């Protein structure tokens, strides 16, 4: 009979799955910028981005306001052998008149209780970090701010809705003047619960409260949270699911008793889901059902007493007592007798059944909404089966004898592809607020130390002027015969005396060797009214064993590649003029002779240093005995770049490379080049500025990370400037910083993975990826490169200090500023540069601005070399052929 009477409260699995789908839609609406303003389920960002990682320590205070009791805790987190937490708690009453009075009175009361607590703890003279658990819907734009949206749970203090509760509390504390407090975080009780449980189980990513009220939070992917900038990493979302149904989406399953509860509440039409499931309303729901059944003669022989008609007389704790398996019926008789209804044994059985139906519906509905969150987490992770932990707190979940078991069972039935552990929060949400504060305090301290460390990479205007001055001195030393031998910046004459004049014509071969790839090009240059350059090229790999083998193996490999290209183009029979772009420091004695001074960029082939590379190439061609070539010129890639751009713009007189390595060349007056006879005209000088600082002149601005990268490089002590700015080394500098930060506990829970120990695993392109994620830079987060995610700490859900990574773009800024500082030595030119070592949008901008700042009297245009240095080698060859023909 009762089953039939309360049929609408008995929900089938089909209905529960439908409710789950509805709630998933509500979650999506709440997360969307477009739909959030009208969404019932607000899905509020909490700005909690990380669960505890086990390294937190310190002395914290937690305030917990969310019901008729107000708790204050002192939480000491220490790190002796293992992380331990000591807590001291004091509970204070929140009288009804304060809950319903003015906001000023409420926060004066909180401040008074906090003062009393600090007095008892003898800490009034300390300014401890405070976490504030404020269990009401708040909109946050940062961790230490909470704008109250609406009061719930019987609270109605005026002047608080729409105001920042942290500011109101600070104002009340300041008004007292007898102590100070640093409120670092305001969190919801669900977030506090998740953080409390997350301290014990790092898989915990859902917080659930089923007590006076109900709510849930979970860790959502940033890419789904439209209300917060950035799409990398995760953030805890406070669902505020108590308002589910406020838009009418649950009308088909709400009963007449739910509607009566709502009409008699302090906030009619609001928190409808909460009114169907939470402890504040469950006892009253049962009372309304009992009254109606009694009126219809189905209970107590139709007797209705004043007590039974009194709102609030039948409490949720009575529901819990009546549902106890052994003594439940006795408890029912005792409670009903107090209500004056003189129950029969059958009445007691019936009332017990009513309580079961009402509490069971609550557990089923909570299982449905929780199931929607679990499905969201599973889909976010892209896994077939989810393994996660739900941290739970709340009097109904803890005190009701059957509730937890029913909730677990229904959840597992509704979401069979999730393996869920329910972890009871033993210490409540107050400890969680302290943990959020501890995490915020840890991150704040880490950020300070990170900023302090990376400050060494930020160069002042005065430092850059010094760098410019030192580079000028090094250039002069390299140009003078007396100091050239000992100079580190070699200022090598290239014997390129002219840029293209537009009359160049013919077919030319070009070789381009300067990294792990080797290019062979056929360049067809046509002069006349419509000048054209047609290029065909093929790229070949240089294996590491060839780069670091013998010189003969290297040049045999180069000749094999040329042979393949000539076959590919069908031109093996022609003896074409050839230009060889050889991007390593060479001392040239003529245009077609270059003595290799030393290898750079990872090359180590033996029997090459001190030899003429054109001779080695010609010898390799002879050994092959398949073809012959006219090697006209050997050039550096910077010279090739300058020539490529000079073909387009006759004003171009500087070439700049910022890529795997870094170098520059420029057209110098012959009178200043003491290493070459003659004073008339100009000649291109290859600065080889990568070696700037090899004499120690930059030691005052080299960091410990620069020194570490240099010490473990193939050419320790050489190319120091290049190692500070070029693409080959920037990622390695970052890797050394990552290792240092990990050792100091800032990252990966202090666990250095084997992967991170691998040299060159952090590629320079990762820095480019960081900056390309413009939103990630603004929000302070980005996706960790997958190679580093093999860290054991990360595989277990360790919180990563996401804020550390974007700061590394300071290295690129330093590189750009240094290029500008060293380049700004007084040239007026169109300055070409190929694509930077990474596509840093800030790199070229900062470099251009630095040149402008440090060389204000120079009008510099930067021209991007579209075709690379290979075309330049062909143009130098063409110019060389033109000048050779003119001489003949």
């Amino acid at each position: 009979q009762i089953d039939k009477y309360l049929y609408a409260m008995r929900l089938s699995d089909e209905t529960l799955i439908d409710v789950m789908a509805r709630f998933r839609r509500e979650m999506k609406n709440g997360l969307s910028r477009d739909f959030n303003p009208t969404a019932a389920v607000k899905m509020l960002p909490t700005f909690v981005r990380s669960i505890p990682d086990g390294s937190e320590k310190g002395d914290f205070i937690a305030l917990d306001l969310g019901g008729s009791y107000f708790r204050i805790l002192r939480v000491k987190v220490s790190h002796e052998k293992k992380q331990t937490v000591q807590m001291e708690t004091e509970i204070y009453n929140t009288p009804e008149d304060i809950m319903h009075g003015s906001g000023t009175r409420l926060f004066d009361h909180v401040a008074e209780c906090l003062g009393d607590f600090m007095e008892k703890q003898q800490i009034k003279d300390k300014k401890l970090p405070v976490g504030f658990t404020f269990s009401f819907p708040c909109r946050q734009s940062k961790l230490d701010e909470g704008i109250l949206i609406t009061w719930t749970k019987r609270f109605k203090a005026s002047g608080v809705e729409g105001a920042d509760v942290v500011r109101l509390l600070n104002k009340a504390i300041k008004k007292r003047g007898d102590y100070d407090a640093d409120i670092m975080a305001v969190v919801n009780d669900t977030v506090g619960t998740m953080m409390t449980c997350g301290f014990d189980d790092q898989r915990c990513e859902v917080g659930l409260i089923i007590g006076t009220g109900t709510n849930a939070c979970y860790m959502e992917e940033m890419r789904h949270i439209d209300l917060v900038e950035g799409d990398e990493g995760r953030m805890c979302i406070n669902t505020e699911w108590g308002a589910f149904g406020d838009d009418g989406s649950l009308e088909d399953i709400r009963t007449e008793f739910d509607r009566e509860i709502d009409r008699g509440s302090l906030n009619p039409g609001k928190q409808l889901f909460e009114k169907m499931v939470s402890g504040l309303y469950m006892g009253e729901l049962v009372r309304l059902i009992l009254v109606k059944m009694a009126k219809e003669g189905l209970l107590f022989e139709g007797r209705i007493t004043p007590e039974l008609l009194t709102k609030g007389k039948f409490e949720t704790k009575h529901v819990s007592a009546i549902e106890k398996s052994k003594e439940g019926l006795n408890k029912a008789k005792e409670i009903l007798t107090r209500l004056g209804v003189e129950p029969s044994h059958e009445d007691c059985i019936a009332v017990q059944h009513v309580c079961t139906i009402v509490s069971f519906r609550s557990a089923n509905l909570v299982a449905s909404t929780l199931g929607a969150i679990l499905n969201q987490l599973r889909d976010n992770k892209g896994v077939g089966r989810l393994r996660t932990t739900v941290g739970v707190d709340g009097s109904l979940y803890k005190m009701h004898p059957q509730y937890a078991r029913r909730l677990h069972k229904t959840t597992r039935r509704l979401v069979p592809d999730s393996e869920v552990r329910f972890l009871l929060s033993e210490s409540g949400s107050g400890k969680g607020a302290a943990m959020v504060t501890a995490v915020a305090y840890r991150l704040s301290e880490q950020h300070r130390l990170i900023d302090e460390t990376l400050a060494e990479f930020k160069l002042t205007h005065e430092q850059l002027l010094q760098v410019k001055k030192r580079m000028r001195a090094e250039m002069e030393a390299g140009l003078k015969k007396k100091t050239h031998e000992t100079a580190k910046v070699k200022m090598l004459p290239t014997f390129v005396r002219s840029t293209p004049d537009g009359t160049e014509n013919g077919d030319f071969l070009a070789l381009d060797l300067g990294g792990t790839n080797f290019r062979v090009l056929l360049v067809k240059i046509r002069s006349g009214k419509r000048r054209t350059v047609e290029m065909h090229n093929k790229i070949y790999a240089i294996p590491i064993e060839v780069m670091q083998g013998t010189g003969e193996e290297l040049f045999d490999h180069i000749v094999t590649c040329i042979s393949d290209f000539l076959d590919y183009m069908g031109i093996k029979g022609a003896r074409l003029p050839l230009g060889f772009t050889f991007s390593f420091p060479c001392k040239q004695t003529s245009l077609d002779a270059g003595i290799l001074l030393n290898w750079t960029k990872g090359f180590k082939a033996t029997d090459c240093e001190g030899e003429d590379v054109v001779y080695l190439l010609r010898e390799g061609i002879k050994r092959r005995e398949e073809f012959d070539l006219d090697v006209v010129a050997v050039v550096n890639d910077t010279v090739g770049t300058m020539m490529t751009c000079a073909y387009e713009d006759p004003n171009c007189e500087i070439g700049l490379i910022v890529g795997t390595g870094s170098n520059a060349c420029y057209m110098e007056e012959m009178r200043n080049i003491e290493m070459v006879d003659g004073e008339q005209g100009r000649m291109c000088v290859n600065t080889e500025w990568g070696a700037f600082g090899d004499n120690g002149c930059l030691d005052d601005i080299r960091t410990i990370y620069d020194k570490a990268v240099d010490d473990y490089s193939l050419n320790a002590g050489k190319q120091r400037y290049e190692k500070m700015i070029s693409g080959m080394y920037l990622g390695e500098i970052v890797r050394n910083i990552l290792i240092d930060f990990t050792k100091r506990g800032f990252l990966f829970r202090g666990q250095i993975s084997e992967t991170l120990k691998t040299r060159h695993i952090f590629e320079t392109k990762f820095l480019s990826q960081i900056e390309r994620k413009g939103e990630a830079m603004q929000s302070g987060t980005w996706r960790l490169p997958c190679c580093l995610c093999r860290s054991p700490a990360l595989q277990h859900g360790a919180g990563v200090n996401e804020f550390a990574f974007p700061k590394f773009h300071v290295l690129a800024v330093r590189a750009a500023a240094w290029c500008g500082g060293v380049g700004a030595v007084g040239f007026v030119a169109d300055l070409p540069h190929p694509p930077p070592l990474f596509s840093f949008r800030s790199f070229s901008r900062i470099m251009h601005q630095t040149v402008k700042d440090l060389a204000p009297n120079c009008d510099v245009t930067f021209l991007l070399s579209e075709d690379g240095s290979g075309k330049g080698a062909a143009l130098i060859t063409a110019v060389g052929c033109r000048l050779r023909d003119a001489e003949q």
Side-chain angles (χ1 to χ4, degrees):
Q1 195 179 14
I2 290 170
D3 283 348
K4 191 176 173 186
Y5 193 79
L6 295 178
Y7 174 77
M9 284 194 165
R10 297 177 68 82
L11 305 174
S12 67
D13 276 6
E14 190 182 351
T15 302
L16 294 175
I17 288 167
D18 185 40
V19 169
M20 194 157 70
R22 293 182 211 181
F23 187 66
R24 188 84 185 268
R25 284 194 296 273
E26 292 290 330
M27 288 169 67
K28 192 176 177 184
N29 287 342
L31 289 169
S32 154
R33 181 180 279 109
D34 295 336
F35 295 107
N36 177 272
T38 55
V41 179
K42 284 298 179 191
M43 303 294 285
L44 303 169
T46 65
F47 293 83
V48 171
R49 299 171 186 268
S50 172
I51 57 171
D53 73 353
S55 68
E56 292 75 18
K57 57 185 175 182
D59 199 351
F60 308 96
I61 286 178
L63 312 179
D64 191 352
L65 179 68
S68 48
Y69 294 104
F70 168 52
R71 285 199 310 156
I72 306 180
L73 304 87
R74 184 179 182 187
V75 181
K76 290 181 190 174
V77 186
S78 61
H79 255 293
E80 278 144 22
K81 288 180 182 172
K82 62 172 190 172
Q83 195 174 44
T84 56
V85 178
Q86 283 179 289
M87 293 197 303
E88 295 174 69
T89 308
E90 195 84 30
I91 294 175
Y92 297 88
N93 262 327
T94 310
E96 195 91 6
D97 60 320
I98 285 179
M99 287 162 70
H100 295 170
S102 70
T104 305
R105 259 190 87 198
L106 173 64
F107 286 98
D108 283 351
H109 172 69
V110 172
E112 185 185 333
C113 296
L114 180 55
D116 176 72
F117 180 81
M118 293 178 83
E119 184 82 56
K120 287 175 180 171
Q121 291 286 321
Q122 298 180 334
I123 50 172
K124 264 195 168 176
D125 57 331
K126 293 182 181 178
K127 187 180 181 181
L128 295 183
V130 177
F132 186 11
T133 300
F134 188 73
S135 309
F136 305 93
C138 283
R139 196 173 298 283
Q140 290 184 259
S141 61
K142 51 188 179 178
L143 191 58
D144 61 351
E145 171 197 88
I147 310 295
L148 177 64
I149 296 171
T150 181
W151 283 118
T152 57
K153 306 177 210 168
R154 290 206 299 255
F155 273 73
K156 266 292 180 186
S158 61
V160 184
E161 291 181 351
D164 176 11
V165 296
V166 175
R167 195 182 61 78
L168 294 175
L169 179 53
N170 275 329
K171 189 177 173 185
I173 291 169
K174 196 173 178 183
K175 189 162 67 177
R176 288 178 61 84
D178 58 337
Y179 66 90
D180 202 357
D182 181 14
I183 301 169
M184 294 189 73
V186 58
V187 300
N188 190 276
D189 51 354
T190 48
V191 182
T193 296
M194 182 187 78
M195 293 296 273
T196 299
C197 295
F199 181 77
D200 299 313
D201 180 347
Q202 274 134 12
R203 283 193 190 278
C204 184
E205 52 193 342
V206 182
L208 173 62
I209 298 279
I210 316 162
T212 310
T214 184
N215 195 13
C217 68
Y218 71 102
M219 295 302 290
E220 178 59 271
E221 298 292 320
M222 282 291 292
R223 66 181 184 270
H224 295 151
I225 309 171
D226 284 357
L227 301 173
V228 180
E229 288 298 319
D231 62 0
E232 301 297 344
R234 301 202 299 171
M235 183 182 284
C236 181
I237 288 290
N238 165 21
T239 65
E240 285 300 336
W241 77 12
F244 179 32
D246 287 8
D247 57 356
S249 60
L250 294 179
E251 283 311 297
D252 58 326
I253 60 168
R254 286 176 75 224
T255 66
E256 58 181 295
F257 307 109
D258 296 311
R259 292 186 175 91
E260 194 172 341
I261 283 273
D262 180 43
R263 283 194 298 272
S265 68
L266 286 168
N267 54 351
K270 291 182 179 178
Q271 301 294 106
L272 298 184
F273 180 71
E274 184 169 77
K275 287 168 186 170
M276 294 171 80
V277 303
S278 77
L280 185 60
Y281 303 99
M282 189 177 285
E284 186 61 10
L285 260 177
V286 171
R287 187 189 70 81
L288 292 174
I289 294 167
L290 298 185
V291 168
K292 187 171 184 197
M293 288 179 74
K295 281 180 179 175
E296 294 180 15
L298 297 172
L299 278 177
F300 318 135
E301 296 178 350
R303 282 190 300 279
I304 299 170
T305 64
E307 289 84 358
L308 188 59
L309 290 171
T310 305
K311 185 179 175 181
K313 275 288 183 181
F314 196 99
E315 298 175 52
T316 300
K317 67 180 181 184
H318 297 148
V319 176
S320 297
I322 289 169
E323 283 198 67
K324 286 184 179 172
S325 51
K326 287 182 182 173
E327 65 224 63
L329 290 176
N330 288 336
K331 287 286 180 187
K333 184 164 181 141
E334 193 181 301
I335 291 159
L336 293 169
T337 301
R338 282 207 300 271
L339 293 173
V341 294
E342 299 175 22
S344 65
H345 183 64
E346 288 70 26
D347 286 335
C348 292
I349 292 171
V351 169
Q352 188 179 57
H353 200 47
V354 169
C355 291
T356 300
I357 289 170
V358 171
S359 64
F360 219 130
R361 182 186 72 157
S362 168
N364 283 342
L365 286 171
V366 171
S368 292
T369 46
L370 177 60
I373 288 175
L374 296 172
N375 282 338
Q376 178 86 349
L377 285 172
R378 192 194 65 230
D379 291 351
N380 285 350
K381 293 181 182 186
V383 293
R385 186 167 183 79
L386 175 72
R387 281 188 70 196
T388 193
T389 298
V390 177
V392 198
D393 199 2
S395 53
L396 184 57
Y397 180 87
K398 287 200 277 197
M399 307 306 291
H400 190 287
Q402 315 292 338
Y403 197 94
R405 184 180 56 80
R406 290 170 186 164
L407 173 67
H408 302 171
K409 195 173 175 183
T410 307
T411 302
R412 287 170 183 140
R413 200 170 66 244
L414 294 178
V415 194
D417 44 10
S418 291
E419 194 178 310
V420 186
R421 180 189 181 207
F422 289 87
L423 181 59
L424 185 62
S425 168
E426 300 293 349
S427 322
S429 53
K431 176 184 169 185
M435 294 318 299
V436 172
T437 307
V439 170
Y441 188 73
R442 167 174 61 80
L443 293 178
S444 154
E445 188 61 13
Q446 286 177 0
H447 295 169
R448 187 185 65 76
L449 292 170
I450 286 167
D451 287 341
E452 206 174 85
T453 302
L454 296 180
E456 292 181 61
F457 290 92
K458 294 174 184 174
L459 301 174
T460 64
H461 185 73
E462 289 68 31
Q463 284 175 310
L464 288 170
L465 284 171
Q466 271 301 312
V467 170
K468 174 185 164 184
K469 186 179 174 184
R470 292 172 199 177
M471 178 62 183
R472 190 65 184 260
E474 293 293 312
M475 287 170 66
E476 287 171 5
L479 287 168
K480 290 189 180 345
K481 192 177 281 186
K482 189 170 67 175
T483 50
H484 176 83
E485 207 57 46
T486 55
K488 294 301 178 185
V489 179
K490 284 297 180 188
M491 305 296 288
L492 302 169
T494 65
F495 293 85
V496 172
R497 298 172 185 270
S498 170
T499 53
D501 68 358
T503 64
E504 293 76 19
N505 196 71
D507 293 355
F508 306 91
L509 270 185
L511 311 180
D512 191 354
L513 177 70
T516 51
N517 291 327
F518 167 60
R519 281 201 309 159
V520 185
L521 305 91
L522 173 63
V523 183
K524 297 182 177 184
I525 302 172
R526 300 292 178 262
S527 59
K529 284 184 180 177
R530 294 185 63 190
R531 295 190 310 165
T532 60
V533 177
E534 182 187 326
M535 294 199 302
H536 304 270
N537 74 87
K538 203 169 176 185
I539 295 173
Y540 300 88
I542 307 278
I544 189 83
E545 60 271 17
V546 173
M547 289 168 66
Q548 297 180 11
T550 67
E552 196 170 292
E553 286 169 344
L554 174 62
F555 281 92
D556 282 349
H557 180 74
I558 288 168
V559 171
T560 301
C561 297
I562 297 170
S563 174
D564 175 79
F565 182 76
L566 295 174
D567 281 335
Y568 173 70
M569 295 302 298
I571 52 172
K572 214 168 208 175
R575 186 175 185 268
L576 294 176
L578 180 141
F580 187 7
T581 300
F582 188 75
S583 307
F584 303 92
C586 283
K587 183 177 181 178
Q588 288 187 249
T589 52
S590 65
L591 189 60
D592 65 346
I595 312 298
L596 175 64
L597 296 179
N598 57 276
W599 284 118
T600 57
K601 305 177 200 168
F603 277 75
K604 268 288 181 185
T606 58
D607 308 319
C608 295
E609 291 180 353
E611 300 294 327
D612 176 9
V613 294
V614 175
Y615 171 78
L616 294 175
L617 176 63
R618 284 172 176 153
E619 287 299 299
I621 292 170
K622 277 184 193 171
R623 282 195 298 275
R624 185 88 183 182
E625 294 182 342
E626 280 186 18
F627 56 88
D628 195 15
L629 296 170
D630 174 18
V631 185
V632 174
V634 59
V635 300
N636 189 275
D637 52 352
T638 48
V639 183
T641 295
M642 181 186 77
M643 294 296 272
T644 299
C645 293
Y647 187 72
E648 305 298 330
D649 181 347
N651 290 322
C652 183
E653 50 189 352
I654 302 175
L656 170 64
I657 297 278
V658 194
T660 308
S662 181
N663 195 14
C665 69
Y666 70 102
M667 296 300 292
E668 178 60 271
E669 299 297 318
M670 282 294 294
R671 65 177 181 271
N672 295 331
I673 308 171
E674 295 184 6
M675 302 300 295
V676 180
D677 291 338
E679 294 206 351
Q680 297 303 308
R682 300 199 300 170
M683 182 182 285
C684 180
V685 167
N686 166 21
T687 65
E688 285 301 335
W689 76 10
F692 179 33
D694 287 6
N695 58 359
C697 70
L698 295 179
D699 284 359
D700 57 327
I701 42 183
R702 283 172 80 221
T703 68
I704 56 168
Y705 309 107
D706 296 309
K707 289 167 188 164
V709 167
D710 181 34
D711 289 345
Y712 287 98
S713 66
L714 287 167
N715 55 349
K718 293 180 179 177
Q719 300 295 108
R720 287 181 176 177
Y721 177 66
E722 182 171 78
K723 286 168 189 169
M724 296 170 82
I725 67 167
S726 77
M728 187 164 182
Y729 300 99
L730 275 194
E732 189 60 6
I733 294 172
V734 171
R735 188 185 70 87
N736 277 274
I737 297 172
L738 287 177
I739 287 172
D740 182 38
F741 284 1
T742 306
K743 283 178 181 172
R744 290 157 74 182
F746 301 164
L747 297 172
F748 314 133
R749 287 213 195 96
Q751 297 176 37
I752 302 174
S753 68
E754 289 304 313
T755 314
L756 188 55
K757 290 177 189 172
T758 309
R759 290 180 63 230
H760 302 295
I761 194 70
F762 193 102
E763 299 173 52
T764 298
K765 69 180 181 184
F766 293 161
L767 286 170
S768 173
Q769 289 166 8
I770 296 167
E771 179 155 330
R772 273 205 304 273
K773 292 284 183 186
E775 311 92 285
M777 294 294 288
Q778 289 165 16
S779 67
T781 62
W782 72 294
R783 180 154 308 167
L784 203 58
C786 59
C787 70
L788 295 180
C789 290
R790 298 188 198 116
S791 158
L794 292 180
Q795 288 172 353
H796 297 296
V800 176
N801 183 347
E802 297 96 339
F803 297 101
F805 289 97
K807 295 174 189 285
F808 289 132
H809 89 298
V810 73
L811 274 79
V813 171
R814 178 184 75 164
W818 274 41
C819 281
V822 173
V825 288
F827 310 122
V828 182
D830 281 349
L831 183 62
H833 62 94
L837 67 167
F838 35 73
S839 51
F840 257 99
R841 286 175 297 201
S842 63
F843 188 94
S844 53
R845 177 178 53 79
I846 291 165
M847 191 183 79
H848 298 175
Q849 187 59 47
T850 306
V851 169
K852 195 174 176 182
D853 291 346
L854 299 182
N857 299 324
C858 299
D859 184 11
V860 183
T861 301
F862 289 86
L863 181 64
L864 189 64
S865 168
E866 300 292 351
D867 301 310
S869 52
K871 175 181 170 184
L875 285 163
I876 291 169
T877 305
V879 170
C881 288
R882 171 168 59 80
L883 295 176
R884 187 172 66 182
D885 293 346
E887 283 172 14
Q888 289 170 355

